[in-house]
Amino acid sequence: MSNSRTVSRRSVLKTGALTASAAGLIAAISACAPSDKKSGGSGGSGASAGKANEDGTIKASISYELGTNGYDPMTTTSALTIAVNWHTLEGLTELDPATGEVYPALASELPKGDNTTVDIELRKDAKFHDGSPVTPADVVFSFERVLDPANNSLYSQFISFIDSVKENGDNGVSIALKHPVGPLAERLAVVKIVPKAAVEKDAAAFDANPIGTGAWKMIDNGAASKIVKFERNDDYTGQKPARAKTMEWQVIPDAATRTNSLQSGDVQAIDSVPYLSIDALKSVATVDSVQGFGLLFAMFNNTEGNPFANVKNRQAFLYAIDMDKVIETALAGQATAATCFVDKENPAYKEAATVYSHDADMAKKLFGETGLTEFRMLCTDHDWVQQVTPIIQESLKATGVTVHFEQKQSAEVYTTIDGKPEAYDVVIAPGDPSVFGSDADLLMRWWYAGDTWTDSRMHWKGSEAYNQLQELLDKGIQATEEAAQLEAWHAAFDLISNEVPLYPLFHRKTPTAYNAETLIDFKPISLTGLSFVNVGTTL
């Protein structure tokens, strides 16, 4: 998971680098981080108060509701459930939500993917929350259920390089790879290990309240109470134990109510800080805004016959937008204009071959060459997106084109366009697959490899550029040397920047407000949600 991402480029193969449904995790956050001394600004410095109260309670408010799906890590797609699972479930490896560091979780040490067979010993004495021991059979079951096409798990695309997982002795597994994998340790974190017996006994009950091995146990899933409750797992044997006795997350989508919960002292942290609450919050809390990958993208309809099948129109659209005005006016500076597919904090970043700085004359020239004078633009209705889209329309209008604008709820946008090439010309929407990991291969594959996006939505699959990109992605993930991996990824960035079937307009910063005096070692993250992994409280 990429957040502050202090990982060096040299360690990209060792430490850097979680679908949500297309509409699930792509909701994101808008805010303006204050710049005074009280605020952590954009540095994400985090909190370090006094001594932790081991009998204390961590309290927070989170903006994302449970949604229609449950907590099963094979299928979950909501920001809330995934954030919960960071605390209650473990993979063979895990990624620290605040630093992006990969560390061994149920594996006894970090595996390396420089061979096609990887043997992994499990952490000794690991137990599930129901008291049953973690066995190699549970690990095999957990991977096989994700890889089974019948289960249609969105996580399967992230581990498609796995040929098989087999038991290996009393406390180990052997993973057969289709080819060596550079970011293997990071990628294994997407599969959470679950108890085979419990899942097979009652899958619905498991979906409502999964049994994991994490430092926290969920004791109320919030479906009725709107408060997700946890208690410390005293049987936890990993390296990041819970540092309080209990934890409560109030589910509060309403921004004003959520802000009030922090101001009143009812909670110690909130996510999704709204612009209008910054001045009020900075007098009672620390507000940090952390740069991440999360982006607003423009997706074009590449269907033959659509005007945006012509790359000149796609490029003209991007040149037309006054991104500096968008960021400063609509986002109060809390974003960075895209100069590459990934953000500048990503260890693999390199400025792309084509950077779409505002150039109205170039946009007019390209639109003039193609003869495009009008098109449809469909946008999601997230509050911060609504602040951005009028400026985008204004920029486009200044180049002489007419934009027929329509706005829908996020889920409705995708219902409208999925498998319907006649339904749109351009879509503007947010997205952030970095909740699964920040290695460049994973982030690119999310949009440019799977059929959902390339075939059903942007209708780009099968093009010459699509085929070239798949070759580069395969080359990059198979590389076990940093130089070879970066060479492939940088070539992929260049190709995407030239072809732009879907491309980021900017990468956002994520604001979090918290009580630095009562939370110990708390760090804001660049992802949707909150993380209290290895965090204590004085209360």
Side-chain angles (χ1 to χ4, degrees):
M1 276 170 262
S2 172
N3 301 292
S4 58
R5 289 183 292 185
T6 56
V7 184
S8 69
R9 289 201 172 98
R10 182 163 298 280
S11 61
V12 67
L13 293 177
K14 300 179 181 179
T15 60
L18 247 169
T19 120
S21 68
L25 282 176
I26 48 186
I29 302 168
S30 72
C32 167
S35 58
D36 66 359
K37 188 174 181 180
K38 177 75 174 179
S39 165
S42 61
S45 56
S48 183
K51 182 179 180 181
N53 177 8
E54 294 185 0
D55 293 323
T57 298
I58 295 172
K59 294 185 177 182
S61 292
I62 192 165
S63 60
Y64 296 92
E65 296 189 86
L66 177 60
T68 58
N69 64 309
Y71 290 85
D72 188 332
M74 179 184 73
T75 56
T76 188
T77 61
S78 83
L80 172 61
T81 55
I82 288 177
V84 167
N85 288 350
W86 292 338
H87 300 78
T88 60
L89 302 172
E90 293 180 288
L92 292 173
T93 62
E94 280 298 319
L95 297 162
D96 187 293
T99 67
E101 178 187 6
V102 61
Y103 61 92
L106 284 173
S108 61
E109 60 182 20
L110 287 179
K112 297 179 180 179
D114 51 0
N115 294 303
T116 54
T117 300
V118 180
D119 294 331
I120 298 175
E121 284 294 308
L122 304 182
R123 188 174 78 214
K124 291 184 178 180
D125 302 322
K127 293 181 180 180
F128 290 107
H129 294 154
D130 61 1
S132 61
V134 178
T135 69
D138 295 314
V139 177
V140 171
F141 173 76
S142 299
F143 275 89
E144 288 185 343
R145 69 195 293 258
V146 169
L147 289 168
D148 186 349
N151 290 330
N152 196 32
S153 173
L154 56 91
Y155 298 94
S156 63
Q157 65 182 316
F158 300 141
I159 56 168
S160 59
F161 50 77
I162 292 180
D163 188 53
S164 66
V165 182
K166 304 293 184 184
E167 296 181 43
N168 184 16
D170 295 335
N171 197 45
V173 294
S174 182
I175 301 178
L177 305 176
K178 297 174 182 177
H179 52 73
V181 177
L184 178 67
E186 291 85 353
R187 202 59 65 82
L188 292 180
V190 305
V191 177
K192 307 308 177 187
I193 306 306
V194 301
K196 178 181 179 181
V199 176
E200 291 184 334
K201 179 181 180 181
D202 192 336
F206 180 82
D207 186 47
N209 195 343
I211 299 167
T213 60
W216 292 95
K217 294 188 289 186
M218 184 172 65
I219 57 176
D220 187 331
N221 66 11
S225 65
K226 297 297 181 181
I227 301 178
V228 183
K229 298 180 180 180
F230 308 79
E231 67 179 17
R232 179 173 55 225
N233 174 18
D234 290 326
D235 290 331
Y236 177 74
T237 58
Q239 59 179 278
K240 296 181 182 288
R243 298 170 64 188
K245 185 176 182 179
T246 57
M247 181 165 63
E248 296 180 359
W249 294 1
Q250 298 179 19
V251 181
I252 308 179
D254 180 72
T257 306
R258 190 170 62 257
T259 300
N260 288 338
S261 70
L262 183 65
Q263 290 175 308
S264 66
D266 289 343
V267 301
Q268 297 162 276
I270 64 170
D271 71 341
S272 195
V273 178
Y275 289 135
L276 298 180
S277 300
I278 291 297
D279 287 341
L281 281 177
K282 67 182 180 182
S283 65
V284 298
T286 298
V287 183
D288 281 333
S289 193
V290 183
Q291 179 67 59
F293 174 78
L295 50 77
L296 186 72
F297 63 78
M299 177 174 66
F300 302 100
N301 188 338
N302 292 263
T303 306
E304 184 177 355
N306 187 282
F308 287 97
N310 189 326
V311 68
K312 289 184 177 181
N313 285 328
R314 304 196 294 268
Q315 293 176 338
F317 182 99
L318 296 172
Y319 278 122
I321 300 173
D322 187 343
M323 200 57 59
D324 290 340
K325 185 175 182 180
V326 168
I327 292 171
E328 292 303 321
T329 304
L331 301 174
Q334 294 300 296
T336 303
T339 56
C340 176
F341 171 71
V342 297
D343 59 288
K344 293 181 179 179
E345 303 298 314
N346 192 291
Y349 172 84
K350 178 181 178 295
E351 184 175 295
T354 303
V355 175
Y356 295 93
S357 301
H358 182 219
D359 191 337
D361 290 338
M362 175 63 76
K364 291 177 183 178
K365 176 179 180 294
L366 293 172
F367 280 140
E369 289 176 1
T370 67
L372 182 62
T373 59
E374 61 179 323
F375 57 85
R376 300 164 295 171
M377 189 169 77
L378 177 60
C379 304
T380 64
D381 67 349
H382 300 93
D383 56 356
W384 65 271
V385 176
Q386 292 185 50
Q387 297 173 36
V388 165
T389 50
I391 303 174
I392 293 177
Q393 292 180 72
E394 178 185 306
S395 293
L396 290 163
K397 183 179 179 181
T399 67
V401 296
T402 299
V403 180
H404 301 285
F405 175 79
E406 186 175 8
Q407 178 179 288
K408 295 178 181 288
Q409 291 185 341
S410 185
E412 190 178 356
V413 165
Y414 296 103
T415 300
T416 298
I417 69 171
D418 280 352
K420 303 168 187 174
E422 73 284 355
Y424 86 101
D425 296 325
V426 184
V427 163
I428 301 293
D432 189 6
S434 69
V435 69
F436 304 117
S438 66
D439 70 84
D441 175 83
L442 183 151
L443 298 175
M444 285 188 284
R445 285 183 188 273
W446 168 245
W447 275 299
Y448 303 114
D451 286 352
T452 296
W453 288 97
T454 63
D455 194 13
S456 298
R457 292 177 179 166
M458 67 182 81
H459 310 290
W460 187 58
K461 183 179 180 180
S463 67
E464 181 180 354
Y466 167 89
N467 292 331
Q468 291 173 351
L469 182 59
Q470 307 317 303
E471 293 177 2
L472 288 171
L473 291 176
D474 290 343
K475 182 178 179 181
I477 197 170
Q478 294 179 38
T480 57
E481 296 295 328
E482 178 186 9
Q485 187 177 78
L486 289 177
E487 180 182 8
W489 288 351
H490 293 164
F493 295 159
D494 288 344
L495 186 152
I496 294 169
S497 77
N498 291 328
E499 295 294 328
V500 291
L502 176 153
Y503 205 66
L505 303 178
F506 54 75
H507 297 97
R508 296 173 293 104
K509 297 177 181 178
T510 298
T512 302
Y514 58 97
N515 187 330
E517 296 178 358
T518 64
L519 287 174
I520 301 174
D521 297 329
F522 175 83
K523 296 182 179 66
I525 62 177
S526 68
L527 308 174
T528 52
L530 295 166
S531 170
F532 297 95
V533 174
N534 208 33
V535 172
T537 178
T538 61
L539 299 181

